[in-house]
Amino acid sequence: MNRPIQVTVWNEFLHEKKHPEIARIYPDGIHGAIAEYLRSQPGIKTRTATLEQPEHGLTDDVLDNTDVLIWWGHMAHDKVEDAVVEKVYHRVTGGGVGLIVLHSAHYSKIFRRLLGTSCSLRWREAAEKERLWVVSPGHPIAEGIGDYFEIEHTEMYGEFFDIPAPDELVFVSWFQGGEVFRSGCCFYRGKGKIFYFRPGHETFPIYHNPTVLKVIENAVRWAAPVERPKPLTIPKAVNVKPLENLS
Ligand code: ZN
């Protein structure tokens, strides 16, 4: 892409308003912390959108000017309007918008709609250690990341994670309590790209961790649309003439 990648960071933005201890970690919201980091990186422009804005901040104008949409939600997945989910679904599968789904957004309407499974998992809040192993060292999302990195205190997510087999698996997590988890998963749907990245529980300063932010930046560059003929917004079978003479 020969112009800056336009990123919209979406957050339901409720925990930060309800819980002072979370507001202390993210005074400008989780979306604010992620957008602030991305804004300082070359070739990336950011904006933010939140649940309580009209159309959840995802108007046609915003989506027309979004190459990559980052999604964080937890306590209000059911408050997201189905019409907005459908609009985002067609933008993603049409190849116009890349989607990055963070942490508890495994249960978001848009992720479940795109994957078609329950996206359920095991979890535990015990502030334990997580070690994320890079299992695809040649993958662009692993650029600049060592063999593994660690998050000292986090919420545990464990298998079985009810997702379709990822098209590419970039990270696998180990947790101090013994579980493992597919933490960095790439999916191709239609013409679009989706990356699920596990870290990010709201009571820990995980989106201030430089390695976590670097992975999100790498994912933005990977998920950005590639130049293609006009995106198909509604997939359909097309009857075509042969390129060669068949007679
Ligand atoms: Zn969480």
Side-chain angles (χ1 to χ4, degrees):
M1 193 174 285
N2 291 324
R3 55 170 177 79
I5 302 171
Q6 303 184 97
V7 178
T8 300
V9 186
W10 191 90
N11 178 12
E12 64 182 24
F13 194 32
L14 297 176
H15 284 292
E16 300 93 322
K17 288 192 267 193
K18 282 197 170 136
H19 307 290
E21 65 279 13
I22 297 172
R24 267 195 293 280
I25 302 171
Y26 296 112
D28 300 315
I30 283 172
H31 54 304
I34 295 170
E36 186 189 343
Y37 168 81
L38 291 174
R39 194 172 293 131
S40 67
Q41 303 309 309
I44 296 179
K45 279 171 67 172
T46 65
R47 72 174 78 208
T48 60
T50 58
L51 179 72
E52 289 176 343
Q53 294 173 329
E55 296 182 60
H56 311 318
L58 299 174
T59 60
D60 284 341
D61 181 55
V62 168
L63 290 173
D64 285 345
N65 291 289
T66 298
D67 298 308
V68 178
L69 177 61
I70 298 177
W71 196 280
W72 195 98
H74 180 220
M75 59 189 286
H77 297 312
D78 61 330
K79 302 283 189 301
V80 177
E81 295 290 339
D82 290 340
V84 172
V85 175
E86 279 308 295
K87 214 161 56 166
V88 172
Y89 174 88
H90 289 296
R91 299 268 181 166
V92 172
T93 56
V97 172
L99 182 67
I100 298 174
V101 176
L102 297 174
H103 187 62
S104 43
H106 68 94
Y107 263 159
S108 62
K109 284 184 179 178
I110 183 60
F111 192 56
R112 295 167 76 179
R113 171 91 170 86
L114 282 158
L115 297 193
T117 54
S118 76
C119 302
S120 61
L121 45 74
R122 292 167 194 268
W123 62 278
R124 172 174 62 242
E125 260 190 273
E128 67 202 91
K129 182 192 275 196
E130 174 180 13
R131 184 174 295 136
L132 292 97
W133 287 92
V134 173
V135 295
S136 297
H139 199 282
I141 294 179
E143 186 167 313
I145 312 297
D147 292 340
Y148 63 85
F149 68 98
E150 293 178 346
I151 297 173
E152 214 47 50
H153 301 292
T154 193
E155 177 188 24
M156 185 281 294
Y157 277 6
E159 297 282 348
F160 175 58
F161 184 19
D162 183 20
I163 51 171
D167 294 300
E168 293 158 0
L169 183 60
V170 186
F171 299 105
V172 170
S173 286
W174 164 91
F175 291 88
Q176 205 172 350
E179 291 83 359
V180 295
F181 191 75
R182 289 167 289 173
S183 292
C185 305
C186 298
F187 303 92
Y188 296 90
R189 289 294 182 273
K191 290 185 169 185
K193 291 177 273 187
I194 303 149
F195 181 61
Y196 174 79
F197 189 44
R198 194 212 82 84
H201 187 64
E202 66 278 0
T203 59
F204 301 109
I206 287 169
Y207 298 122
H208 296 303
N209 177 313
T211 310
V212 168
L213 291 168
K214 175 67 179 159
V215 171
I216 293 173
E217 178 197 345
N218 289 347
V220 163
R221 298 187 194 283
W222 171 83
V226 292
E227 295 296 332
R228 296 277 305 157
K230 188 170 158 288
L232 274 180
T233 49
I234 299 169
K236 56 185 176 189
V238 184
N239 186 349
V240 294
K241 294 198 170 16
L243 297 177
E244 307 292 336
N245 187 353
L246 298 179
S247 59

